[in-house]
Amino acid sequence: MSSNKIDAAMLKTMFLAGVKNLEAKKEWINELNVFPVPDGDTGTNMTLTILSAAKEVMALDEVTMEGLAKAISSGSLRGARGNSGVILSQLFRGFTKEIRTVEEIDTIVMANALSRAAETAYKAVMKPKEGTILTVARGMADKAMEIAGVTEDMETFLRQILEHGDYVLSQTPELLPVLKQAGVVDSGGQGLMQVLKGAFDGFLGKETDFTLEQVTPAVKQPVMDKSEIDTADIKFGYCTEFIIMLEKEFSYSDERAFKEYLESIGDSIVCVADDDIVKVHVHTNDPGLAIQKALTYGQLTRMKIDNMREEHRERVIMDAEKLAKEQKEADERKKAAEERKQAGFIAVSVGDGLSEIFKGLGVDYIIEGGQTMNPSTEDMLNAIEKVNADTIYIFPNNKNIILAAEQAKDLTEDKNIVVIPTKTVPQGITAIINYMPEKGAEENAEAMKEEIAKVKSGQVTYAVRDTNIDGVEIHKGDIMGLGDQGILTAGKEIEETTFESIQKMVDDDSELISIYYGAEIKEEDAQKLTERLEECYPMLDVELNQGGQPIYYYIISVE
């Protein structure tokens, strides 16, 4: 092989090197989130997508350009997660279509492949937005076409393309004002650059460990029968946490002495000193001893004591109830599978309460997912296979999942798939409520889309960094209200911020306020907020529901 050309073996090396570089940078890419919310997942989504392709590449017995192209395209299409993952899979799809029939890639073929990649990705997005991964891909493709006839040296060719890609990426904040406000470049574009830079390292022969590690958005621990664990096995029964606000010097010897004391009364000790505070965690049978000792150093805040033995008993009961529930659901699915229905429903949901609401509305299959764990195209296809219906409506309930659902639709041949572009849980609930059995798929889809356009959605969470968006100054740890168009408000208290967010959503045409409280909110606190809203808006109906969702304290809708 000429150094100016890339054969199948070299392309495999380059691809896997790109995978490893993205995998190594995924958390950094996650942090390039425009909104400072704790759900940045671009890096994870892109990594999961490319890892799916890498597994198929690694499984090839014989490396040919055609086989490699098929593995990369098929693996990434089925493993695609989130908008960034779907777009990345489409880039691979276009690129591999161009190179699958050649034995070696020269600068002309590479330029054509990059151009086709960008073209395919743009076509996959209904409303392409500049300042994103698409812009970066097209910028590099244009540069490749410009210099393909100027140089045949592949190293020079690739280096110039990457340099231009970095430049285009640096300009994304100028094309997308929201990036400029947040002080970041596009995370998807950065992810693409890391894939290509890793691939270039592979071309240069830099050593890379090709061992693949599975990345998951949410780690699942091995299942064990907790009913067999006696509470007597819990040596120290109280999980005790607090922060010491230091009132005097806390030297290294003080820290060591304090840790030794904690070890004498318990285990699972964490003691971290930082300037004027000390974070403490200990499992003990006498929390009072830990607290008394800590008070000798300063005042205490963020105190939390949990009875682990009681939690264990409750967990055993919950596990038994969950098992019975799963068995009941399995029986229902088996019964439903015996007869093919006219219409079936799939919804993406996270949180026990929200999932129960969807099931109560007639949803046949719930895909667990949402922010931080976007389901893949493969997850969508598996759900479609399990719903025995002629027409299946999919409710993504997240703007970052719609493309994966559309991709699953394109890959399904034996059923009519209708993707309703719901961007929030409230939109999904409204869409399902407006389904009319007597009407056809197209008519139902139009009616649902019309109704979800009338729903105002809001979410309340916390900020993970300082920033300024839409003129709202936000500090790390602040509580934020997010609406359909951006930041609604920011504050220090959950209830107050939620109340202010709803005030900004309500107008003269509003009739109903629906509140879904999350896993970290107590029912009595949610009820207090509801009563306050009923007093403020006596002419509106206010509904309170247990959502159980993580990350977001409240999900709100105003209709």
Side-chain angles (χ1 to χ4, degrees), residues 395 397 420-432 448 452-453 455-457 484 557:
F395 306 94
N397 300 332
I420 306 300
T422 52
K423 297 179 180 179
T424 64
V425 165
Q427 285 187 355
I429 291 171
T430 296
I432 296 170
M448 290 179 184
I452 65 177
V455 179
K456 296 179 183 177
S457 301
D484 294 320
S557 73

Side-chain angles (χ1 to χ4, degrees), residues 10-30:
M10 174 55 77
L11 185 61
K12 176 184 176 181
T13 297
M14 293 173 66
F15 177 75
L16 294 177
V19 173
K20 293 301 293 186
N21 197 48
L22 177 62
E23 185 181 24
K25 306 287 179 56
K26 65 181 181 295
E27 292 302 336
W28 171 54
I29 294 166
N30 281 342

Side-chain angles (χ1 to χ4, degrees), residues 163-178:
E163 288 174 354
H164 188 69
D166 278 335
Y167 169 74
V168 176
L169 178 64
S170 72
Q171 296 304 300
T172 54
E174 304 302 323
L175 298 171
L176 207 54
V178 69

Side-chain angles (χ1 to χ4, degrees), residues 402-413:
I402 295 172
L403 278 180
E406 291 285 358
Q407 194 151 274
K409 172 184 175 180
D410 293 340
L411 294 172
T412 301
E413 298 179 354

Side-chain angles (χ1 to χ4, degrees), residues 181-196:
Q181 280 189 329
V184 296
V185 296
D186 178 65
S187 55
Q190 185 64 269
L192 176 61
M193 290 307 303
Q194 296 313 310
V195 173
L196 298 181

